[in-house]
Amino acid sequence: MPEPQVSAVRLIAPAAVAEVLGISIDEVVDLVEQTQLRGVRVGSPARLRIDEQSVADYLAAQIEAERRMALWRESSEASFPELWGTGPVRHAD
């Protein structure tokens, strides 16, 4: 009979997540309740633990959102005549 595989999921305490993200523990709990982080209650008494991979996924999503906003801000500052090569240049270097 094959041996059961141990899960590679690593669970971490909300305080550790709060330190990594630079937010309060209450905000970490809110992120779990909003399903932006995957969490589970384990032990007796039940204590909240967060899936470490969900923290990495959350950070990646936040970085991507900020990258897109920076591109949006950059594009909204561009002058279309400048891009097309016609008309006056607003911000000549």
Side-chain angles (χ1 to χ4, degrees):
M1 178 181 254
E3 301 237 353
Q5 292 187 357
V6 177
S7 175
V9 175
R10 182 163 180 233
L11 301 175
I12 53 180
V17 175
E19 185 177 337
V20 168
L21 297 180
I23 60 177
S24 71
I25 295 172
D26 291 336
E27 290 172 305
V28 171
V29 173
D30 289 343
L31 289 173
V32 172
E33 290 172 353
Q34 296 167 5
T35 67
Q36 293 186 17
L37 293 175
R38 290 183 303 273
V40 64
R41 296 208 179 267
V42 294
S44 179
R47 294 199 169 114
L48 181 64
R49 296 293 180 256
I50 292 102
D51 176 15
E52 184 179 47
Q53 184 59 47
S54 75
V55 176
D57 295 343
Y58 175 78
L59 283 173
Q62 294 299 309
I63 289 168
E64 178 62 15
E66 184 55 36
R67 185 188 72 81
R68 289 175 184 231
M69 285 304 299
L71 287 172
W72 176 256
R73 285 189 299 272
E74 184 180 299
S75 69
S76 68
E77 291 176 3
S79 167
F80 287 106
E82 289 175 344
L83 296 175
W84 297 329
T86 61
V89 177
R90 288 191 308 176
H91 303 287
D93 291 326

